[in-house]
Amino acid sequence: MTTATRPDDPTASVSPPLHGLRVLDLATLFAGPLAATMLGDFGAEVVKVEHPTRPDPSRGHGPAKDGVGLWWKILGRNKRTITLDLGAPAGRDVLLRLAADADVIVENFRPGTLERWGLGWAELSAVNPRLVLARVTGFGQFGPYSHRPGFGTLAEAMSGFAAMTGEPDGPPTLPPFGLADSIAALATAYAVMTALSGRTATGRGQVVDLAIIEPILTVLGPQPLWYDQLGYVQPRTGNRSRNNAPRNTYRTADGCWLAVSTSAQSVAERVMRLVGREELIDEPWFGTGSGRAEHADVLDEAVGGWIALRSRDDAIAAFEKAEAAIAPVHDIRDVMSDPQYRALGTVTEVPDPELGPIRMQNVLFRLSETPGSIRWAGRPHGADTEAVLTELGLSAPEIAVLREEGVL
């Protein structure tokens, strides 16, 4: 068992905090499924429900090895996988039986799809009043865009993220990974746990309506308030900040890149003393972050010139001695060998029957008493169908009939 604690921690054998929580993951691609993964990492019993002939597209997303999609190995970890055609009447009946004993359902179909199949909130809550239904869509369950297809890329564009990202004279920039989806997954997992806490008080489940366009707007900071009160629209500033300086990436003598941050006044002063430009500390504009940002050219020249004369390791050591904030700009090769990540166990090895030992991100955080764990990586399409349906009470002949009808 791979745990999120140190290998010698005695809490590794303790039941995880979400043990006994039953989750049905009906979602595809990233935001909804990743939220279910996070619940599974801390002990929830997650059953991934996929169409018999159209599995979750994440199985084929990105690089594969020996025909096995690698993204799915992390997105599908800690989940049992079954196939079920929810649009078929017999598939609907099976899903309602599963829902009757579940705590949470996560879905990301366009609004109205579950209702068209006879699996809307009215039907689901009728068989299980304590159920929490998490509905994760691009634009939410209502409003003029609600029926549009929605992906994280659209949220990154609509939220203002792309507009403020990139060089001042360059185009709006989208992230090269699922940023909005991942933020939405974190928000969904939090929303589910909040709804479950509410169930403890009321005895009833409820619907979570999460639009992917909203959580990313929340993490962008006070953009709406700035505009509301000041009419201020944050421009693209590259690696610089309008709130403090020096704040940039700088190239070392041995061709590496380092990131420096001086959000605190005391750190900014330490950096100037370190690079031999302490006279700048006495400038009237140096006393505020915005003042320093207005003189970023001067500060970047001072810091960048000093770093350019030193190797990566020498520069980092000097900053560390001066108690100033600096970090190397890593690619994934560096992440895999970084001593701090290794100490935390951030990347861990998981045994996998298809690929052998594989390495992936560990669970999201460490709990001192009831840690999470990765019990297995993503399993093949429909690998647990018969086992799950047998546990549900279906007989072998009933399962065979469902297979013959194409429901499984």
Side-chain angles (χ1 to χ4, degrees), residues 43-114:
E45 301 169 19
V46 182
V47 173
K48 173 76 173 181
V49 180
E50 298 174 85
H51 191 275
T53 60
R54 298 190 300 275
D56 189 325
S58 66
R59 290 182 178 273
H61 218 81
K65 181 181 179 182
D66 300 332
V68 178
L70 298 179
W71 204 326
W72 168 252
K73 285 298 177 182
I74 182 171
L75 194 63
R77 73 189 192 190
N78 292 334
K79 299 178 183 180
R80 302 169 80 190
T81 66
I82 71 169
T83 56
L84 191 62
D85 183 353
L86 301 179
R92 169 191 180 274
D93 293 342
V94 173
L95 196 281
L96 288 175
R97 291 180 64 175
L98 288 167
D101 198 33
D103 296 287
V104 179
I105 290 180
V106 181
E107 65 97 0
N108 69 339
F109 300 105
R110 288 196 214 181
T113 301
L114 285 185

Side-chain angles (χ1 to χ4, degrees), residues 50 68 80 144 190 224 260 278 320 324 359:
E50 298 174 85
V68 178
R80 302 169 80 190
Y190 166 60
V260 171
E278 55 266 28
E320 185 173 351
R359 289 186 290 173

Side-chain angles (χ1 to χ4, degrees), residues 6-308:
R6 296 177 64 89
D8 57 349
D9 194 321
T11 64
S13 60
V14 176
S15 293
L18 301 185
H19 177 73
L21 187 73
R22 297 187 174 184
V23 179
L24 298 177
D25 175 8
L26 313 185
T28 58
L29 288 176
F30 306 115
L34 182 56
T37 301
M38 294 173 181
L39 299 175
D41 284 350
F42 286 89
E45 301 169 19
V46 182
V47 173
K48 173 76 173 181
V49 180
E50 298 174 85
H51 191 275
T53 60
R54 298 190 300 275
D56 189 325
S58 66
R59 290 182 178 273
H61 218 81
K65 181 181 179 182
D66 300 332
V68 178
L70 298 179
W71 204 326
W72 168 252
K73 285 298 177 182
I74 182 171
L75 194 63
R77 73 189 192 190
N78 292 334
K79 299 178 183 180
R80 302 169 80 190
T81 66
I82 71 169
T83 56
L84 191 62
D85 183 353
L86 301 179
R92 169 191 180 274
D93 293 342
V94 173
L95 196 281
L96 288 175
R97 291 180 64 175
L98 288 167
D101 198 33
D103 296 287
V104 179
I105 290 180
V106 181
E107 65 97 0
N108 69 339
F109 300 105
R110 288 196 214 181
T113 301
L114 285 185
E115 285 76 7
R116 188 171 68 249
W117 293 337
L119 291 170
W121 178 240
E123 292 84 0
L124 292 171
S125 61
V127 300
N128 185 354
R130 291 175 56 80
L131 183 70
V132 170
L133 175 62
R135 315 195 78 166
V136 186
T137 57
F139 304 105
Q141 295 296 308
F142 56 91
Y145 303 165
S146 60
H147 288 277
R148 292 181 182 179
F151 298 98
T153 298
L154 308 187
E156 290 146 11
M158 285 183 59
S159 64
F161 171 85
M164 70 174 72
T165 303
E167 294 300 323
D169 56 352
T173 302
L174 296 167
F177 63 97
L179 176 63
D181 278 311
S182 298
I183 296 171
L186 287 163
T188 301
Y190 166 60
V192 165
M193 298 310 300
T194 302
L196 290 170
S197 180
R199 185 180 73 174
T200 301
T202 66
R204 300 186 306 275
Q206 59 185 300
V207 177
V208 171
D209 177 9
L210 190 135
I212 298 173
I213 60 172
E214 292 183 302
I216 187 171
L217 180 59
T218 296
V219 304
L220 291 183
Q223 304 295 321
L225 182 59
W226 283 344
Y227 180 74
D228 175 63
Q229 295 296 302
L230 303 172
Y232 177 74
V233 178
Q234 182 168 327
R236 290 189 289 282
T237 58
N239 289 328
R240 287 180 173 177
S241 168
R242 287 292 180 96
N243 303 313
N244 67 80
R247 192 261 197 184
N248 214 326
T249 58
Y250 308 95
R251 193 176 179 90
T252 65
D254 52 353
C256 299
W257 289 92
L258 300 176
V260 171
S261 177
T262 57
S263 295
Q265 178 70 22
S266 59
V267 174
E269 294 176 4
R270 290 173 199 154
V271 170
M272 289 302 104
R273 294 190 183 98
L274 173 63
V275 303
R277 297 295 303 275
E278 55 266 28
E279 78 277 5
L280 295 176
I281 299 173
D282 297 325
E283 294 287 345
W285 49 262
F286 195 88
T288 65
S290 58
R292 296 197 307 274
E294 292 174 359
H295 295 79
D297 287 342
V298 173
L299 298 174
D300 276 348
E301 181 182 2
V303 177
W306 186 91
I307 288 177

